[in-house]
Amino acid sequence: LPLDQKRNPETMSSSAEAAKMAKWQRIVFFITFVNYAMSHFSRKCYTNVKTDLVKAGVDKMVLSQMDTAFMLTYAIGSFISGRLGDMFPQNVVIGVGLVGSTLCLGMIQVFEASGVINHNYPMGFFLFVFAQFVHGFFQSTGGPVNTSVMGAWYPKNGRGLVFGLWTCHQYIGDILAALSTAFIIHRGWPWQWALLVPGVLNGIWGIVNLFFLPNRPSDVGIETEEEKQQSLVTSGAPAKQGTIGFMQALMIPNVLGYAIAFGFFKFVNYAMFFWLPFFSLHPLRPAIRERYFLALFGWHDAWRRYCRLRLRSV
């Protein structure tokens, strides 16, 4: 900077604030990245020990209902968590979700250790399904709330590259889960540790969120350009930030189409996510395998072609 600009207090103040903003952006990026990675870490570790759960007496019917319960509450909970993120401090919502995942993984281990599925099958069926039913609600806090925090810290210009890097979190979590489970099994340690490790780490990282994750720049004394413009418009009066309802969100152009497209993507993703490790060790009969993959990829391909036709007509 020129000498006169270096001596200018306003220039020095803006430079210091920009450096402070960049520092906190890196911190928020790292914490929220690990948040989502932790969520997938705990989900994937569970799918990797399904064969061990079967050996412990948790049959395939129980496992399938556990997955159904999880995905049902995960889908419903995504709407609820988004609203909770608007109403309450977002770091608290995220922290509760991670600590809740710890409790649910702990419940699965306690139920397996008690042998309840072998002594009282109906009760064991209910308990195992209930654990994943509740787990889905806790896990649903990851997507909408972490994304909201990131959106508050990064401006719209250049956000695509940042979010492109940030969304690698789920794949990192899946990879770590596979490596962690393989390491535990290879070392000859109890397979239950594959659930214990992500459970403990989720709980610890949930506490980190409660104390170290700022929800927005103003929480650490940084005023963004958007906030400055709002202050000028309102002549110093605090601007009230309202939230929109579900129907208002659906009326935003392309929201519904993207939601349906993403739903089909998740349909394929989670069908393989939950059951491919199990099927690799328990091959299906050819006729069943053919029906499974036709059902799995048929709807996805049909929707992909529909989206392509819609794009051509725009």
Side-chain angles (χ1 to χ4, degrees):
L1 292 174
L3 184 60
D4 57 339
Q5 291 187 15
K6 288 183 179 180
R7 293 176 178 175
N8 189 338
E10 293 183 1
T11 304
M12 294 174 64
S13 175
S14 62
S15 299
E17 189 165 313
K20 184 179 180 181
M21 182 69 172
K23 170 192 169 184
W24 278 105
Q25 282 179 327
R26 290 192 292 268
I27 293 174
V28 170
F29 184 99
F30 176 72
I31 293 178
T32 54
F33 186 97
V34 178
N35 287 344
Y36 218 116
M38 282 292 174
S39 297
H40 274 256
F41 188 20
S42 57
R43 291 182 219 171
K44 189 62 177 175
C45 281
Y46 155 72
T47 65
N48 289 340
V49 298
K50 278 187 173 180
T51 54
D52 299 285
L53 285 169
V54 169
K55 294 176 183 177
V58 184
D59 59 29
K60 289 178 282 188
M61 178 59 70
V62 178
L63 292 175
S64 66
Q65 296 308 307
M66 289 172 69
D67 293 342
T68 302
F70 177 89
M71 294 309 302
L72 175 65
T73 54
Y74 182 76
I76 297 173
S78 295
F79 294 96
I80 299 174
S81 296
R83 175 63 70 179
L84 291 176
D86 293 333
M87 298 171 59
F88 301 101
Q90 293 157 323
N91 63 321
V92 175
V93 177
I94 296 169
V96 170
L98 290 170
V99 174
S101 294
T102 298
L103 297 176
C104 292
L105 291 177
M107 282 195 291
I108 293 175
Q109 295 179 78
V110 170
F111 299 153
E112 184 275 329
S114 67
V116 63
I117 196 72
N118 298 314
H119 304 140
N120 189 338
Y121 184 83
M123 177 58 68
F125 186 102
F126 170 78
L127 291 175
F128 276 100
V129 173
F130 175 77
Q132 284 296 85
F133 182 88
V134 178
H135 196 192
F137 280 120
F138 285 124
Q139 286 275 309
S140 68
T141 61
V145 187
N146 279 295
T147 304
S148 178
V149 173
M150 283 288 292
W153 276 94
Y154 286 89
K156 293 182 179 180
N157 294 332
R159 187 184 290 178
L161 175 60
V162 173
F163 273 76
L165 295 173
W166 184 71
T167 51
C168 293
H169 43 46
Q170 53 189 319
Y171 311 115
I172 297 298
D174 294 341
I175 293 170
L176 290 176
L179 293 176
S180 173
T181 304
F183 179 79
I184 290 170
I185 300 301
H186 178 73
R187 298 286 294 182
W189 296 339
W191 64 266
Q192 291 86 349
W193 288 23
L195 297 178
L196 179 64
V197 170
V200 171
L201 292 178
N202 268 252
I204 293 173
W205 202 252
I207 296 174
V208 170
N209 277 265
L210 295 176
F211 290 98
F212 299 105
L213 177 63
N215 298 315
R216 56 189 64 84
S218 58
D219 290 350
V220 291
I222 300 175
E223 188 178 16
T224 62
E225 291 297 327
E226 294 180 357
E227 292 174 340
K228 292 177 181 178
Q229 292 176 3
Q230 288 179 355
S231 298
L232 292 175
V233 171
T234 57
S235 301
K240 295 183 179 179
Q241 296 181 353
T243 59
I244 63 174
F246 295 126
M247 295 307 299
Q248 292 172 300
L250 290 176
M251 294 301 292
I252 298 175
N254 296 323
V255 166
L256 182 60
Y258 284 129
I260 296 174
F262 197 69
F264 278 92
F265 167 74
K266 286 292 186 179
F267 174 72
V268 177
N269 182 30
Y270 278 99
M272 294 188 292
F273 183 91
F274 278 126
W275 285 100
L276 199 58
F278 184 86
F279 288 157
S280 65
L281 295 176
H282 298 271
L284 297 173
R285 294 194 302 272
I288 298 178
R289 183 172 63 246
E290 182 178 353
R291 287 197 296 269
Y292 172 78
F293 283 104
L294 282 175
L296 180 62
F297 294 107
W299 284 103
H300 179 267
D301 185 64
W303 181 253
R304 179 178 57 82
R305 294 185 182 187
Y306 170 76
C307 291
R308 184 179 296 174
L309 291 174
R310 289 284 297 174
L311 290 173
R312 288 177 179 175
S313 63
V314 175

